[in-house]
């Protein structure tokens, strides 16, 4: 069976993101929340491990079961995610919890874009699914 071109392109994309961020997502996942980090949280919620911390650019980073969850700042100062973008949440923690509630038992997509690090408007998924 020949090596599919799609797999090769995904692998190259993953390498490019890792090179562009200097492996920052791996380092983010390896750090533990610190008391001085305003976005730090690490808890089990609805059977999922959710973690949050400040990313390399000072923006909040959220991980659900080790996979990145994109957080977006609203004009009112709140936070939303692609999974629950109808109601603004006051903190990244509450936005992450709302996303977990919306996802239910479904896993996050491994193609979900992590915090604007992608150049593909579909977030890397050939079907255009972002969450």
């Amino acid at each position: 069976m020949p090596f599919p071109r799609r797999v090769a392109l995904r692998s190259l994309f993953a390498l490019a993101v890792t090179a562009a961020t200097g492996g920052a997502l791996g380092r983010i996942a390896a750090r533990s929340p610190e008391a001085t980090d305003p976005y730090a949280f690490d808890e089990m919620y609805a059977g999922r491990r959710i973690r949050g911390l400040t990313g390399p650019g000072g923006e909040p980073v959220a991980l659900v079961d080790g996979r990145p969850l994109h957080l977006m700042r609203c004009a009112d100062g709140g936070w939303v995610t692609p999974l629950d973008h109808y109601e603004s949440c006051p903190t990244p923690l509450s936005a992450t919890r709302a996303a977990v509630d919306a996802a239910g038992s479904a896993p996050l997509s491994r193609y979900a874009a992590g915090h604007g690090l992608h150049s593909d408007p579909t977030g890397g998924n050939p079907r255009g699914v972002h969450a």
Side-chain angles (χ1 to χ4, degrees):
M1 179 173 177
F3 192 68
R5 182 172 54 167
R6 185 179 301 161
V7 172
L9 290 174
R10 285 183 191 157
S11 298
L12 287 174
F13 177 75
L15 286 172
V17 168
T18 302
T21 63
L25 289 179
R27 286 194 306 275
I28 289 169
R31 288 194 311 186
S32 63
E34 300 171 3
T36 59
D37 188 345
Y39 299 122
F41 57 89
D42 186 356
E43 67 182 42
M44 289 299 291
Y45 179 77
R48 307 268 192 126
R49 182 171 184 207
I50 59 174
R51 296 184 67 203
L53 44 98
T54 302
E59 74 283 353
V61 174
L63 301 169
V64 177
D65 294 333
R67 292 193 174 175
L69 174 68
H70 186 67
L71 293 168
M72 297 167 281
R73 189 73 175 205
C74 297
D76 66 358
W79 299 91
V80 296
T81 68
L83 293 173
D84 182 35
H85 59 273
Y86 296 108
E87 184 177 345
S88 177
C89 298
T91 65
L93 172 59
S94 60
T96 304
R97 287 177 177 165
V100 167
D101 290 339
S105 63
L108 293 183
S109 171
R110 64 181 181 179
Y111 302 113
H115 313 287
L117 300 176
H118 59 86
S119 59
D120 183 340
T122 65
N125 188 316
R127 291 180 292 284
V129 178
H130 295 279

